[in-house]
Amino acid sequence: FFEKNSQEYLIISNNQKYLIINSSIINSKSTRDSQGVNIMKLNKSCFVRNVKIFKEGDISNSHRFRTKNLPARGTVPKSDDLGDQLKI
């Protein structure tokens, strides 16, 4: 999909790694037959469980989960990083 304005997204993997990315750092596909763009590095048995638009205040210490380079691994949140909304 294509969006005109950049937004921040929170990506959560099944092994509880969180990653916040700004959509402006995602490069578009270089050719028509390329397979896409890697955003999150995952282990063999891992997968992305959830992607949602990030709102400031969802996670405290959000700077720990941001990245400037892609693909990135993500970070396991500490207990005080999660707000009430994101606790599992």
Side-chain angles (χ1 to χ4, degrees):
F1 66 92
F2 179 78
E3 60 181 25
K4 294 178 184 175
N5 300 325
S6 64
Q7 289 185 324
E8 288 191 312
Y9 292 94
L10 173 63
I11 303 171
I12 304 170
S13 67
N14 68 324
N15 63 344
Q16 298 302 310
K17 290 201 176 184
Y18 286 53
L19 179 64
I20 299 172
I21 57 133
N22 192 310
S23 61
S24 64
I25 66 171
I26 300 173
N27 295 327
S28 60
K29 291 175 27 172
S30 56
T31 62
R32 210 169 25 138
D33 59 349
S34 64
Q35 291 197 0
V37 180
N38 287 330
I39 294 175
M40 191 173 200
K41 288 182 186 178
L42 297 169
N43 296 336
K44 225 176 202 181
S45 62
C46 295
F47 57 90
V48 172
R49 189 186 69 193
N50 195 3
V51 177
K52 65 180 234 166
I53 295 173
F54 176 73
K55 296 178 202 121
E56 207 57 51
D58 283 349
I59 298 177
S60 59
N61 299 325
S62 61
H63 65 277
R64 292 185 54 237
F65 306 100
R66 295 185 200 281
T67 186
K68 292 181 182 176
N69 301 321
L70 295 178
R73 287 223 179 260
T75 306
V76 176
K78 297 177 183 174
S79 61
D80 58 337
D81 288 335
L82 298 178
D84 293 335
Q85 222 174 22
L86 293 176
K87 286 189 179 175
I88 298 174

